Amino acid sequence: MGSSESESQEEIAKPASAPARPRSRMLIAVVIVVVLIAAAIAGAWAFGLIGGDDDEGEKVLVIAMSSDVQAMDPAKTSAMYGPPGLIYETLITRDLNGDYADGLAVDWELNRDDPDHPYFEIELRQGVTFHDGTPFDTAAVRDIINYYAQDDSWVQYEFWAVYGCENKTGWPDAGIWCKDDYNMVLNLTWADVALEFNLSHLYGSMLWPKALEEDGMDVYGTATGHVIGTGPYMLDEWVPGDHITLVKNPNYTWGFSWYENKGPAKIDKIIYRIIADQNTRFAGFESGDIDVLQQVPPSKVAEYDDDEGVSVITERGQGTYHVEFNCQKDPWDNADLRKAFGYAVNRTQLLNTVWHGIGEEGVNCLAPWTPESQNVPAEYNYSYDVERALELFELAGFTDIDDDGWLENSTGELSLDLWTTNKGEDIQMGEIVQAQFEAIGVHVTLTPYAETQLRDEAAEGNQEAILFWYSWPRAEILDWHFGTWAAGGSNTGWYMDEVFDNYVTNWTYAETEEEFSDNATAALIRLQDQGAWCTLIYWHQIFAVHDYVTFQGEPGWAVNPLGQEQVINIVDVDIDK
């Protein structure tokens, strides 16, 4: 990889016909990262919330969560997983192979025959009702999309191509045409290839429009408001910081094509316990009071693998662990300096020591299975190369002038204040990175913070660098982490680069997946060439499940390869305890 002084790729200009991009007012939101209220609850199962069959013969499943759900409304949160994936459903789904599949829609098509008037046709599944018995129809979908398209909505960007049609004449229903109860057309400003994806994850969840109208954005989806969908489970009780209880939807009979069981669900009640203390979660799982353990740290995998009554399930993650520098703070505004750290990391040591080999070495900013990550030329990916690191440090003005083992310039020795979260594996990774950076001549101070404080401080620009992670299965996530518009919000590295932004503009208005991917790949190369992140590893999902919990008849759990932001196939899960 060349230094920042080498010739960069030619800037891609914004298409002349592209509509102006709306600016989100939710810059302080954190992308895909849970900013949650956590409460340590030692012995949480003492409240009578036990797994298996209770005295009334109910089947009860207990799942441990490390922190509470912030909200169950995509318009106001970046953490749509866990209970929402059982309560809500989406128009399109992703099956256990990661392929697009039917959901609340049985058919859909992006039609671009007329380049001036592209449209997205949807045929809804018939016979679906919301939890209160209200029919699910095209009018409901229209109202939900209009709700998501509000300026204050977290997900308004997903529907720019739809509500942009308000400025076109001769098109019905401000971009949405309900032909009848089950057939509708989204009239588009441009042939947005992201629409299929946007309608397939929980940020496109189909909520109950009447409840949205009654509660408004401030209340809907919170513990004091409504939480109503079409899914196989309904919200029964939400005690913030303690537990969330779901009960089976007895009227659910429309399970999707990739479900073996079409409904209702086999389990009567599901209890998510919020237990902040990791050791308490372990104790509850090992005693059998907790049936499913999420976010299993790699250090516990060997122990649970040796337990004949436990299944450990791993699946590729959708993001990275990385060190992100504050690109607006001296000296981290120097691209050569940032890139030097990318070559100073021994990722094999990190992976084997902290993650026990579960995961992959991180070489760029996107998960390795994404086409854009795979298409980056090898010279732009990072590897462990001390000689190259020292060359880049020297280009940035730092060398070991006095042969004392520390890099310095005319103002003094190079030091880095590195922040991370107080999770065990994050601290372990931070300690190894600290040792590796010090071995190459950089003083490092490692400071752990609670996740909320860490993200808040970084959004204010108070950090030099943070060690953190993300999860998302499509290359558009790069815009949320590096787009100038998001600086001080989801762009906590304060990376601001017009060249990158123009690639994003081009992919936003791309009319083919190939055009999207080409621009996203070019944007990723630009980030690599500018040292926007020092990527450490690609993490994997890890679950531990007692063998009396079964999925489609075998011990296990429904883990989607595209991550926890997908609808969960919970109707095929059973428990016999």
Side-chain angles (χ1 to χ4, degrees):
M1 172 187 282
S3 73
S4 61
E5 297 175 350
S6 64
E7 183 178 355
S8 63
Q9 297 199 24
E10 182 178 355
E11 178 177 338
I12 294 180
K14 180 177 179 179
S17 60
R21 177 176 183 174
R23 178 179 292 272
S24 170
R25 292 205 290 257
M26 298 193 66
L27 298 185
I28 61 172
V30 177
V31 178
I32 316 305
V33 176
V34 187
V35 181
L36 304 169
I37 303 169
I41 304 177
W45 48 88
F47 292 94
L49 306 174
I50 58 174
D53 296 347
D54 66 12
D55 292 339
E56 298 178 357
E58 285 187 323
K59 290 184 176 182
V60 181
L61 180 76
V62 179
I63 303 172
M65 297 176 67
S66 62
S67 50
D68 205 349
V69 175
Q70 185 183 32
M72 298 195 207
D73 177 1
K76 64 168 77 72
T77 182
S78 64
M80 282 295 291
Y81 52 83
L86 283 62
I87 295 171
Y88 299 132
E89 295 177 307
T90 55
L91 292 176
I92 303 168
T93 61
R94 306 297 286 271
D95 65 21
L96 294 180
N97 294 316
D99 297 327
Y100 287 105
D102 59 288
L104 293 175
V106 294
D107 195 23
W108 59 94
E109 182 181 7
L110 175 61
N111 188 305
R112 63 190 85 185
D113 291 343
D114 182 349
D116 294 326
H117 298 292
Y119 56 91
F120 195 88
E121 294 182 281
I122 302 172
E123 180 185 350
L124 299 184
R125 185 180 301 275
Q126 299 188 29
V128 177
T129 61
F130 288 99
H131 293 155
D132 75 320
T134 303
F136 175 76
D137 56 18
T138 55
V141 176
R142 179 192 59 204
D143 292 347
I144 294 162
I145 291 177
N146 286 337
Y147 172 72
Y148 286 153
Q150 298 178 76
D151 284 347
D152 287 332
S153 166
W154 167 257
V155 291
Q156 57 134 335
Y157 75 98
E158 294 188 344
F159 303 101
W160 285 344
V162 179
Y163 70 72
C165 286
E166 290 180 286
N167 299 321
K168 285 187 173 290
T169 59
W171 288 83
D173 280 349
I176 302 176
W177 176 24
C178 299
K179 298 169 67 175
D180 56 40
D181 286 346
Y182 299 106
N183 293 275
M184 65 192 305
V185 177
L186 309 182
N187 299 310
L188 308 178
T189 305
W190 76 95
D192 186 2
V193 296
L195 258 180
E196 184 177 36
F197 173 78
N198 292 340
L199 295 172
S200 72
H201 54 70
L202 288 175
Y203 296 92
S205 294
M206 294 290 107
L207 318 178
W208 187 42
K210 183 179 178 181
L212 297 176
E213 182 179 346
E214 291 179 0
D215 290 354
M217 185 177 286
D218 291 340
V219 178
Y220 181 85
T222 68
T224 58
H226 288 93
V227 179
I228 297 176
T230 64
Y233 283 88
M234 305 179 292
L235 179 64
D236 179 59
E237 184 179 46
W238 183 357
V239 179
D242 191 277
H243 69 273
I244 297 170
T245 300
L246 310 180
V247 294
K248 177 170 64 176
N249 177 4
N251 299 316
Y252 186 85
T253 58
W254 48 86
F256 307 144
S257 63
W258 51 285
Y259 297 179
E260 289 185 357
N261 174 27
K262 305 307 179 186
K266 300 174 181 178
I267 296 172
D268 300 292
K269 183 183 294 183
I270 297 179
I271 301 169
Y272 284 87
R273 291 194 194 146
I274 297 93
I275 306 174
D277 181 71
Q278 191 176 69
N279 289 329
T280 304
R281 293 197 303 275
F282 295 158
F285 179 74
E286 290 158 16
S287 70
D289 290 314
I290 291 169
D291 306 310
V292 178
L293 192 61
Q294 303 178 122
Q295 302 168 318
V296 177
S299 59
K300 296 290 286 187
V301 169
E303 175 185 341
Y304 290 153
D305 263 338
D306 289 339
D307 190 328
E308 294 183 357
V310 171
S311 294
V312 175
I313 305 166
T314 62
E315 181 65 66
R316 267 183 157 180
Q318 296 76 43
T320 72
Y321 264 94
H322 52 267
V323 172
E324 57 183 70
F325 298 94
N326 186 336
C327 297
Q328 300 302 310
K329 181 174 286 189
D330 181 64
W332 314 110
D333 55 353
N334 185 299
D336 287 321
L337 180 61
R338 298 192 301 261
K339 287 160 59 178
F341 286 93
Y343 291 101
V345 176
N346 183 337
R347 294 163 178 82
T348 303
Q349 182 185 12
L350 278 173
L351 193 61
N352 291 339
T353 304
V354 180
W355 289 83
H356 300 261
I358 303 170
E360 297 164 64
E361 296 185 20
V363 297
N364 62 50
C365 303
L366 285 178
W369 54 265
T370 59
E372 295 76 23
S373 178
Q374 296 171 5
N375 290 337
V376 171
E379 63 265 28
Y380 290 100
N381 285 330
Y382 288 102
S383 60
Y384 183 44
D385 188 337
V386 172
E387 183 177 347
R388 180 64 177 139
L390 292 173
E391 290 174 356
L392 287 163
F393 279 122
E394 185 173 1
L395 280 174
F398 289 92
T399 58
D400 185 4
I401 298 173
D402 54 9
D403 293 325
D404 65 350
W406 299 107
L407 300 173
E408 55 221 337
N409 63 10
S410 59
T411 64
E413 294 178 344
L414 181 60
S415 63
L416 172 66
D417 187 9
L418 179 62
W419 298 354
T420 189
T421 78
N422 50 19
K423 287 198 309 182
E425 58 267 31
D426 291 11
I427 293 175
Q428 285 182 283
M429 291 180 69
E431 290 172 344
I432 293 176
V433 168
Q434 178 185 31
Q436 291 179 357
F437 288 172
E438 289 185 340
I440 208 168
V442 181
H443 296 284
V444 179
T445 301
L446 182 66
T447 307
Y449 287 90
E451 286 188 19
T452 302
Q453 184 180 3
L454 179 71
R455 299 300 298 192
D456 287 348
E457 293 284 348
E460 292 292 327
N462 298 328
Q463 82 289 8
E464 289 189 1
I466 63 173
L467 189 158
F468 212 72
W469 60 275
Y470 83 88
S471 169
W472 195 244
R474 197 167 187 262
E476 66 193 23
I477 190 64
L478 297 177
D479 186 27
W480 291 90
H481 286 305
F482 302 107
T484 299
W485 67 275
S490 50
N491 178 358
T492 50
W494 291 81
Y495 180 84
M496 303 167 75
D497 176 22
E498 185 178 359
V499 175
F500 172 81
D501 290 341
N502 284 334
Y503 286 129
V504 174
T505 298
N506 257 32
W507 89 44
T508 299
Y509 301 108
E511 296 191 356
T512 66
E513 281 289 350
E514 182 180 8
E515 185 182 347
F516 165 84
S517 188
D518 287 348
N519 279 277
T521 300
L524 178 55
I525 291 171
R526 175 68 177 179
L527 295 173
Q528 294 291 107
D529 190 51
Q530 292 295 300
W533 275 358
C534 171
T535 304
L536 303 176
I537 67 161
Y538 302 123
W539 58 272
H540 283 190
Q541 305 175 74
I542 309 174
F543 295 79
V545 185
H546 287 286
D547 284 348
Y548 52 74
V549 177
T550 60
F551 175 68
Q552 294 182 344
E554 299 293 332
W557 184 245
V559 180
N560 195 292
L562 294 180
Q564 50 197 353
E565 291 89 4
Q566 309 299 316
V567 170
I568 301 173
N569 179 9
I570 192 65
V571 295
D572 283 330
V573 175
D574 202 353
I575 184 171
D576 183 13
K577 185 176 180 181

